[in-house]
Amino acid sequence: MLNNYMLNGGNATLKALRNLPKNTQQDILDYLRDCPLYEAVTANEKDFILVHSGFNNFNKNKKIRDYSSDDLLWARPELDDKYYDDITTVFGHTPTFSYGEEYKGKIIKTSTWIDIDCGAAYGNEPILLRLDDYKEFKLQL
């Protein structure tokens, strides 16, 4: 698990944490410890599941609470993966450019999921998505 964490930006995160005051480090760790693995929300009468990375080992008949933390934190969905038909899953973790150069700097929307990770960790411009109407907002760095 540590190796997977380090391969996914853990080293940069640990270096950044070391530069923070001890009480701020503790606040961040407390927040992460208490943070939910997913959140169900409704916007404009449409249902969404917000999760870090999508779902590993997805099964439409499996309850969300039955997924392990690894299933929700380390998934790398394929473009043709399908999730729930009536709930849109919104996640990051997999930079959209990893699906192909044509997706660089763009949010990917499929019929059942949306990947909002445009690669800000790699210096790309962050993009926010308003779920009410899918309007995108670019942040200038």
Side-chain angles (χ1 to χ4, degrees):
M1 188 181 309
L2 178 61
N3 189 40
N4 198 16
Y5 174 74
M6 296 304 278
L7 289 171
N8 283 276
N11 194 39
T13 301
L14 292 175
K15 283 181 182 178
L17 281 171
R18 281 189 210 115
N19 292 327
L20 297 173
K22 293 287 184 204
N23 62 332
T24 303
Q25 291 175 17
Q26 190 59 52
D27 288 346
I28 291 170
L29 293 174
D30 290 344
Y31 170 79
L32 291 174
R33 191 176 301 107
D34 296 337
C35 187
L37 289 171
Y38 64 89
E39 190 70 42
V41 300
T42 300
N44 201 23
E45 298 184 25
K46 185 162 177 50
D47 295 323
F48 298 89
I49 295 173
L50 311 179
V51 63
H52 178 72
S53 70
F55 297 92
N56 270 335
N57 306 308
F58 181 76
N59 180 324
K60 288 182 183 186
N61 298 318
K62 189 174 184 177
K63 295 186 183 308
I64 296 173
R65 68 175 177 261
D66 293 334
Y67 285 93
S68 72
S69 58
D70 281 352
D71 287 335
L72 302 176
L73 294 173
W74 301 111
R76 296 280 187 197
E78 299 292 329
L79 285 173
D80 59 353
D81 284 353
K82 302 285 185 211
Y83 291 147
Y84 300 101
D85 294 325
D86 56 344
I87 303 170
T88 301
T89 302
V90 181
F91 60 86
H93 182 65
T94 302
T96 57
F97 64 75
S98 67
Y99 292 102
E101 189 64 26
E102 68 270 28
Y103 298 107
K104 184 177 180 180
K106 297 179 182 174
I107 290 174
I108 297 176
K109 299 174 189 130
T110 73
S111 62
T112 64
W113 58 259
I114 301 171
D115 183 353
I116 61 170
D117 185 343
C118 294
Y122 299 93
N124 295 320
E125 184 177 53
I127 301 176
L128 303 176
L129 179 68
R130 184 169 60 200
L131 296 179
D132 292 14
D133 58 4
Y134 290 173
K135 181 171 173 59
E136 297 178 14
F137 298 89
K138 294 185 177 189
L139 300 177
Q140 302 299 320
L141 294 179

